[in-house]
């Protein structure tokens, strides 16, 4: 299979330096291996996604010199996700869940304080083959979400950047949502179906998604798809060690472009922070391809100060 990578933003506004950095590293990894790069707009959340945001991402990528070979929009792929969800349903692995967010929070053990929600299996039927029999007759008038049953076993993989990982899904997240109650497709299902059908062989993204990979590997296996290589990236953080936040306007590419900075100056600084160059000098993305190597990228999170000093515009 030819090497293929992707950038899969969920556009909810202008591109942010964190997105630029993920896009740049994924693009460099692909181009340095002579592979193809897919741009996939992950606009599955109807409340947050707008077409105009996707157009801005495209414009920003062109400005940065990060060209793509294939382009997809998730909101146009609902029938495909429905097909694969149905396969999981026919295998007897899914069930309707009527829990509200408040119900789920009420069943959380106090030590699960890192923001992670472990679903307690409240709606999991005793007999999975009867899971969908009485959907219309449920006392709740709510539409159900659809969850998938997870096994109580370790799922391991070797991350291309962070090495061996292993997660027990029953303890890490519990049965997880594959379709939301409002009908929206869940990220975990859509990302697996898309990466598999698009022939993606290398997934590069922030390490905040490192432990989503086992959930995805579980779905890859159930659907009979080949698992890609995962390469997670250290996060970009401010000097206090907090992950760069979208609300910080000075890190928004719209503001950076308005202030007159060049694409080469943005790429030069990010490449320097990512360990790819010795000095934060302006450079184009294509000039970095020949020298790109995963070995140069650190595994500790990357602390960055003010991105552009007052006098540098
Ligand atoms: N759409 C996801 C995000 O913007 C990234 C998905 C992925 O790379 O797997 O956070």
């Amino acid at each position: 299979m030819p090497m293929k990578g992707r950038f899969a933003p969920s556009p909810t506004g202008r591109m942010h330096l964190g997105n630029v950095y993920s896009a740049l590293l994924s693009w460099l990894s692909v181009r340095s291996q002579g592979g193809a790069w897919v741009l996939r707009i992950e606009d599955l959340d109807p409340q947050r996604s707008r077409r105009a945001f996707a157009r801005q991402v495209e414009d920003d990528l062109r400005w940065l010199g990060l060209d793509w070979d294939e382009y997809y929009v998730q909101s146009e792929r609902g029938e495909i996700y429905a097909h694969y969800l149905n396969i999981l349903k026919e295998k007897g692995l899914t069930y309707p869940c009527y829990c509200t967010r408040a119900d789920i929070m009420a069943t959380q053990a106090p030590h699960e304080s890192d923001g992670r929600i472990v679903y307690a299996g409240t709606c999991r039927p005793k007999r999975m083959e009867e899971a969908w029999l009485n959907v219309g007759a449920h006392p709740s008038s709510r539409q159900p979400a659809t969850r998938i049953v997870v096994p109580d076993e370790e799922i391991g993989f070797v991350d291309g950047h962070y090495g061996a990982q292993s997660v027990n899904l029953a303890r890490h997240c519990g049965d997880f949502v594959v379709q939301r109650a409002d009908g929206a497709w869940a990220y975990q299902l859509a990302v697996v179906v898309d990466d598999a059908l698009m022939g993606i062989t290398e997934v590069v993204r922030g390490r905040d998604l490192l432990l989503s990979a086992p959930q995805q590997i579980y779905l890859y296996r159930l659907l009979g798809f080949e698992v890609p290589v995962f390469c997670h990236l250290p996060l970009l953080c401010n000097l206090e060690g907090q992950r760069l936040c979208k609300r910080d306007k000075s890190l928004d590419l719209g503001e950076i472009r308005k202030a007159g900075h060049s694409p080469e100056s943005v790429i030069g600084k990010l490449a320097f922070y990512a360990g790819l160059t010795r000095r934060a000098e302006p450079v184009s993305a294509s000039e970095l391809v020949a020298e790109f190597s995963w070995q140069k990228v650190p595994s500790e999170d990357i602390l960055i100060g003010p991105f552009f000093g007052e006098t540098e515009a």
Side-chain angles (χ1 to χ4, degrees):
M1 207 164 31
M3 191 276 164
K4 215 192 250 190
R6 51 42 157 209
F7 176 52
S10 307
T12 53
R14 255 341 253 253
M15 243 173 129
H16 180 267
L17 279 185
N19 308 125
V20 176
Y21 151 82
S22 300
L24 174 66
L25 283 156
S26 165
W27 184 89
L28 286 173
S29 180
V30 162
R31 295 297 181 227
S32 67
Q33 297 174 72
W37 203 53
V38 168
L39 171 59
R40 185 172 69 230
I41 304 298
E42 303 215 321
D43 57 348
L44 289 178
D45 189 334
Q47 266 111 53
R48 300 172 69 215
S49 310
R50 284 199 216 111
R51 199 81 192 120
F53 293 149
R55 292 278 171 247
Q56 276 173 343
V57 170
E58 291 161 37
D59 183 60
D60 286 336
L61 289 173
R62 278 193 206 97
W63 182 79
L64 290 160
L66 305 179
D67 60 329
W68 56 94
D69 305 292
E70 292 173 37
Y71 176 87
Y72 303 91
V73 178
Q74 285 192 324
S75 57
E76 295 168 358
R77 297 172 59 80
E79 282 176 26
I80 302 175
Y81 308 135
H83 171 77
Y84 286 96
L85 178 65
N86 203 40
I87 293 179
L88 298 172
K89 187 172 173 182
E90 283 178 356
K91 284 178 184 280
L93 292 167
T94 64
Y95 61 87
C97 171
Y98 296 86
C99 294
T100 60
R101 202 178 155 76
D103 295 334
I104 293 168
M105 299 316 281
T107 59
Q108 289 294 293
H111 62 271
E112 283 147 9
S113 56
D114 61 356
R116 199 155 45 86
I117 293 176
V118 183
Y119 183 62
T122 315
C123 287
R124 191 203 272 206
K126 285 203 181 59
R127 295 166 58 84
M128 283 301 292
E129 56 280 19
E130 290 171 7
W132 292 94
L133 289 185
N134 296 315
V135 177
H138 193 275
S140 161
S141 57
R142 279 169 55 80
Q143 281 296 314
T146 301
R147 287 188 185 268
I148 183 150
V149 168
V150 301
D152 184 8
E153 64 190 51
E154 294 288 322
I155 295 193
F157 73 104
V158 180
D159 186 76
H161 199 51
Y162 285 96
Q165 310 289 324
S166 177
V167 165
N168 179 313
L169 295 183
R171 271 181 259 137
H172 179 74
C173 55
D175 298 344
F176 60 89
V177 172
V178 279
Q179 187 175 25
R180 286 185 353 193
D182 64 1
W185 299 100
Y187 159 69
Q188 303 292 6
L189 177 72
V191 80
V192 167
V193 168
D194 281 348
D195 282 339
L197 297 188
M198 292 168 194
I200 302 300
T201 58
E202 182 186 84
V203 170
V204 173
R205 59 187 180 198
R207 71 163 183 82
D208 51 319
L209 290 169
L210 181 65
L211 298 184
S212 274
Q215 273 165 271
Q216 294 165 15
I217 290 168
Y218 175 54
L219 294 178
Y220 274 99
R221 290 182 185 156
L222 290 176
L223 293 170
F225 293 140
E226 204 168 316
V227 179
V229 171
F230 291 98
C231 259
H232 288 86
L233 297 169
L235 302 179
L236 288 189
C237 296
N238 63 21
L239 295 178
E240 282 82 53
Q242 293 147 339
R243 189 176 182 198
L244 293 189
C245 131
K246 271 204 171 140
R247 273 166 291 153
D248 187 340
K249 280 284 165 215
S250 67
L251 308 172
D252 171 308
L253 207 52
E255 297 296 312
I256 290 174
R257 286 178 64 173
K258 233 192 285 162
H261 298 290
S262 66
E264 291 78 13
S265 64
V266 175
I267 288 180
K269 284 193 184 257
L270 285 175
F272 170 70
Y273 283 125
L276 303 178
T277 52
R278 287 174 183 241
R279 272 181 292 274
E281 283 167 359
V283 63
S284 68
S286 55
E287 285 170 295
L288 293 167
V289 172
E291 296 295 313
F292 177 78
S293 144
W294 278 107
Q295 264 98 53
K296 295 182 181 170
V297 181
S299 47
E300 317 78 60
D301 286 344
I302 302 169
L303 304 190
I304 67 172
F307 199 68
F308 285 111
E310 296 293 309
T311 55
E312 268 187 83

